[in-house]
Amino acid sequence: ALLRLAAGIVVVPSLPPVGREAHRDWIEKEIRAWQAVGVNQFEANVPGQVRLIRRLGARVWAGPGLAVMNQAAAAFWQGQAEMFVASPELTGRELLDLQRPERCCVLAYGRIPYMITEQCAAREVRGRCAPTGSTVMQLTDRRQEAMLVQTHCRLCYSEILSEKPVSLLGKLTPKHPETWRVVLTTETRQEISALWKALAAERQPSYAVSLGHWEKGVD
């Protein structure tokens, strides 16, 4: 991150999608540490984080946890945030109907969380939390379908992620100005290389991906 700052690249740390009172001091300490090295924009994922970011004199990005799902929400955050992320739960038609303004960011690639839980998969399976504070594990349900679980042991929560990355490359159109969001988790070096080529060509990568909610919304 420091090298990116030195190169003039904007760094925007994403705050966790949980908002327990016990987290506030830790998050505030992290924000102040980033500010000490010149970072002053932060992505909020629960409403209380918006107030905290502003109280510390920083600028707000509205993350996917704030669920921008309609034109009213988009118009609100366009006036309140430097950038906002359209909900990954929107269908392709709903995304087009959002009339995305310049400050809208769309998830073009990445795994999406099915659930956020306080149950620590690392502790349940291995008997202890991840020593690095975060790890990715694979669980298999009763139908033998695999799911990825990313643990965040410093704040004691886990995210159950889609097994395949969602990719809307080739589906998104330049009809509306937007910023594409790319989220990496367990991609190999070869997959990342293939992804960059796919991004440049605006087509799907050469490995298995999903369209997510592009064709079907949330029931």
Side-chain angles (χ1 to χ4, degrees), residues 3-219:
L3 291 175
R4 293 174 181 173
L5 286 170
I9 298 173
V10 176
V11 174
V12 184
S14 180
L15 302 184
V18 291
R20 296 199 299 271
E21 185 71 19
H23 296 157
R24 186 173 60 183
D25 290 345
W26 185 90
I27 292 173
E28 181 171 341
K29 181 180 178 181
E30 288 293 302
I31 291 176
R32 291 187 184 278
W34 279 108
Q35 288 178 312
V37 296
V39 173
N40 207 38
Q41 299 186 65
F42 299 89
E43 181 182 274
N45 279 293
V46 295
Q49 293 170 355
V50 175
R51 294 190 295 271
L52 176 60
I53 293 168
R54 287 178 174 159
R55 178 169 65 79
L56 296 176
R59 288 179 285 175
V60 174
W61 285 43
L66 295 180
V68 178
M69 299 194 69
N70 53 46
Q71 292 182 26
F76 173 82
W77 286 112
Q78 187 183 17
Q80 297 290 324
E82 300 295 314
M83 187 74 69
F84 68 88
V85 181
S87 173
E89 295 183 349
L90 294 174
T91 65
R93 172 51 54 192
E94 290 169 337
L95 198 56
L96 293 175
D97 290 344
L98 194 61
Q99 298 182 0
R100 304 187 297 277
E102 291 184 359
R103 295 187 178 185
C104 181
C105 181
V106 176
L107 178 70
Y109 175 91
R111 288 179 171 84
I112 59 175
Y114 288 149
M115 182 185 296
I116 298 172
T117 174
E118 293 184 3
Q119 190 79 6
C120 181
R123 188 172 61 244
E124 292 293 328
V125 173
R126 300 171 181 169
R128 60 186 177 88
C129 293
T132 60
S134 179
T135 189
V136 177
M137 307 173 61
Q138 181 171 293
L139 298 181
T140 303
D141 67 13
R142 64 181 184 278
R143 295 177 295 184
Q144 300 304 304
E145 293 182 359
M147 296 175 290
L148 294 181
V149 180
Q150 185 168 24
T151 67
H152 303 271
C153 294
R154 288 190 178 92
L155 295 183
C156 199
Y157 75 96
S158 300
E159 293 178 284
I160 300 176
L161 305 174
S162 56
E163 179 193 8
K164 294 179 182 178
V166 171
S167 175
L168 301 185
L169 301 178
K171 293 291 186 179
L172 297 172
T173 68
K175 179 179 179 181
H176 301 291
E178 61 193 11
T179 298
W180 288 6
R181 182 185 184 94
V182 174
V183 179
L184 301 177
T185 48
T186 62
E187 284 75 8
T188 64
R189 178 179 296 182
Q190 291 75 18
E191 287 173 335
I192 292 173
S193 177
L195 175 59
W196 294 150
K197 293 176 182 178
L199 281 165
E202 297 187 18
R203 58 173 172 77
Q204 293 287 36
S206 55
Y207 53 90
V209 294
S210 165
L211 289 177
H213 293 294
W214 181 264
E215 295 177 345
K216 183 181 179 181
V218 178
D219 293 330

